[in-house]
């Protein structure tokens, strides 16, 4: 197991370098960030030259990238074009988005897997058809429509929640935004669990366990569910990075100043240090999440082992 983890960590290095290089190049071809800082007016030549020197924009792109990568290993993600350190922005944004992502993942695991198990064991029955139709509707409706609708009904019309989240962004305030963020993924988890449960329910090991007289609850929880969760765990693991990086719409609707909000502001202002810094951390989160998912395979299915 230890050798496998070391090998996977080494494999992450070229992936990390390649993704950060691609993001760095893509952000730097969006346009001239100095012109974006000056707004509609044309920048004063002296001011533009000073800003380019300050943010190291006069150097070639390859040199800018090498300087950026060197600074990352010292914990320096650069300075945003508004003069604020990117690490300071991360310190305020990531805790909020992490809490929001935790709420969304809990909804996926509890509701998604539960509905998937119930419908998988009752395939073809009315509850199965109803849940399939509901998940299809959730997948078809865009997230911003779901978010605005819940905000209108629960926050404005019925006064169940506050229409916008406060600066503290406690877990209690993030329940509805977390449900909105997890809605599409929750529907996919439900359908994926249902399919996996229905397929494995006909497997030989399930029939053997039932024939030996094991209680139905033990057959489902100990044998059927553990083997059926492997594709679900894969999806949820890869979904963690997607939820953190794709929370822009949800955070804009509920006025949450998290990672999505900062990325939106960075793209809007063409602040390449902000965008590249946040995406770099998201790449690390995505790689670590995939490593944890691979290690969980052996926990769920003892037949899987890593040399």
């Amino acid at each position: 197991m230890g050798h496998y983890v070391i090998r996977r960590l080494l494999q992450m290095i070229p992936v990390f370098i390649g993704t950060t290089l691609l993001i760095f190049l893509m952000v730097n071809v969006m346009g001239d960030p100095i012109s974006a800082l000056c707004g509609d007016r044309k920048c004063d030549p002296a001011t533009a030259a000073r800003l380019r020197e300050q943010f190291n924009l006069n150097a070639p792109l390859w040199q800018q990238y090498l300087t950026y990568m060197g600074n990352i290993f010292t914990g320096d993600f650069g300075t945003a074009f508004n003069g604020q350190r990117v690490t300071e922005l991360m310190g305020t944004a990531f805790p909020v988005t992490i809490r929001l992502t935790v709420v969304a993942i809990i909804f996926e695991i509890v509701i998604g897997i539960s509905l998937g198990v119930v419908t998988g064991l009752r395939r073809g029955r009315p509850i199965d058809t109803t849940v399939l139709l509901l998940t299809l509707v959730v997948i078809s409706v865009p997230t911003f429509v779901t978010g605005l609708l819940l905000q209108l009904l629960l926050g404005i019309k019925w006064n169940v929640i506050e229409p916008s989240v406060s600066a503290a962004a406690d877990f209690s305030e993030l329940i509805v935004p977390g449900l909105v963020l997890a809605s599409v993924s929750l529907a996919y988890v439900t359908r994926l669990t249902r399919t996996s449960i229905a397929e494995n329910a006909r497997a030989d090991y399930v029939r053997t366990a039932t024939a030996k007289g094991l209680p139905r609850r033990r057959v489902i929880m100990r044998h059927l569910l553990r083997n059926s969760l492997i594709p679900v765990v894969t999806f949820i693991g890869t979904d963690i990075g997607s939820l953190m990086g794709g929370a822009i719409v949800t955070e804009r609707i509920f006025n949450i100043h998290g990672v999505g909000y900062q990325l939106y502001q960075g793209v809007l202002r063409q602040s390449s240090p902000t965008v590249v810094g946040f995406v770099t951390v998201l790449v690390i989160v995505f790689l670590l999440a995939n490593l944890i998912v691979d290690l969980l395979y052996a926990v769920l299915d003892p037949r899987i082992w890593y040399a």
Side-chain angles (χ1 to χ4, degrees):
M1 179 70 76
H3 293 289
Y4 174 78
V5 174
I6 294 174
R7 187 168 70 248
R8 283 298 306 273
L9 290 174
L10 292 176
Q11 291 174 354
M12 289 181 184
I13 296 176
V15 176
F16 175 74
I17 294 175
T19 51
T20 51
L21 176 60
L22 181 61
I23 294 297
F24 190 87
L25 295 176
M26 291 176 63
V27 170
N28 279 275
V29 299
M30 288 192 308
D32 186 7
I34 302 302
S35 300
L37 282 175
C38 298
D40 296 333
R41 293 183 177 181
K42 187 176 181 180
C43 288
D44 177 74
T47 303
R50 180 177 58 82
L51 290 173
R52 291 182 186 279
E53 184 68 26
Q54 178 182 350
F55 293 106
N56 195 31
L57 297 177
N58 290 325
L61 275 179
W62 64 268
Q63 187 174 342
Q64 293 181 38
Y65 176 73
L66 292 179
T67 303
Y68 173 76
M69 292 299 292
N71 292 335
I72 281 181
F73 294 104
T74 62
D76 182 12
F77 286 85
T79 304
F81 289 157
N82 60 359
Q84 192 172 4
R85 304 291 296 177
V86 176
T87 50
E88 295 178 4
L89 297 176
M90 291 179 179
T92 58
F94 269 100
V96 176
T97 300
I98 288 174
R99 290 196 293 271
L100 180 63
T101 304
V102 168
V103 174
I105 292 296
I106 290 175
F107 276 121
E108 288 187 26
I109 294 175
V110 175
I111 300 179
I113 294 179
S114 299
L115 289 177
V117 172
V118 171
T119 53
L121 295 174
R122 292 169 174 80
R123 190 172 182 178
R125 297 183 183 180
I127 187 173
D128 179 33
T129 305
T130 303
V131 171
L132 283 180
L133 289 175
L134 288 177
T135 55
L136 186 60
V137 171
V138 171
I139 294 172
S140 303
V141 177
T143 304
F144 69 88
V145 175
T146 306
L148 290 173
L149 184 61
L150 289 180
Q151 185 185 51
L152 175 64
L153 294 177
L154 300 179
I156 298 177
K157 190 172 181 179
W158 298 334
N159 289 324
V160 177
I161 63 170
E162 292 294 331
S164 61
V165 175
S166 65
D170 297 327
F171 277 106
S172 58
E173 298 180 274
L174 296 176
I175 292 178
V176 175
L179 179 60
V180 173
L181 179 62
S183 57
V184 176
S185 298
L186 189 152
Y188 280 121
V189 168
T190 300
R191 298 173 74 92
L192 188 60
T193 306
R194 170 192 174 274
T195 303
S196 186
I197 288 287
E199 180 180 352
N200 288 323
R202 300 190 296 268
D204 292 337
Y205 67 88
V206 174
R207 288 199 294 265
T208 302
T210 304
K212 287 182 177 181
L214 293 179
R216 178 176 172 80
R217 181 183 180 86
R218 185 177 180 182
V219 172
I220 295 174
M221 299 299 296
R222 185 72 181 272
H223 300 280
L224 179 59
L225 186 58
R226 287 182 61 177
N227 288 281
S228 301
L229 282 182
I230 291 179
V232 180
V233 168
T234 303
F235 178 84
I236 294 178
T238 56
D239 198 40
I240 293 176
S242 301
L243 290 176
M244 294 186 66
I248 297 178
V249 175
T250 305
E251 292 184 358
R252 289 287 294 170
I253 292 174
F254 294 96
N255 194 33
I256 302 172
H257 289 194
V259 173
Y261 173 83
Q262 295 296 342
L263 282 173
Y264 173 78
Q265 293 295 326
V267 172
L268 193 65
R269 299 170 182 173
Q270 295 185 11
S271 178
S272 53
T274 303
V275 177
V276 176
F278 274 84
V279 173
T280 299
V281 176
L282 290 176
V283 169
I284 297 175
V285 170
F286 185 83
L287 292 175
L288 292 178
N290 276 271
L291 175 61
I292 294 173
V293 166
D294 287 347
L295 297 179
L296 283 177
Y297 289 161
V299 176
L300 293 172
D301 191 345
R303 295 172 299 179
I304 299 176
W305 62 283
Y306 300 105

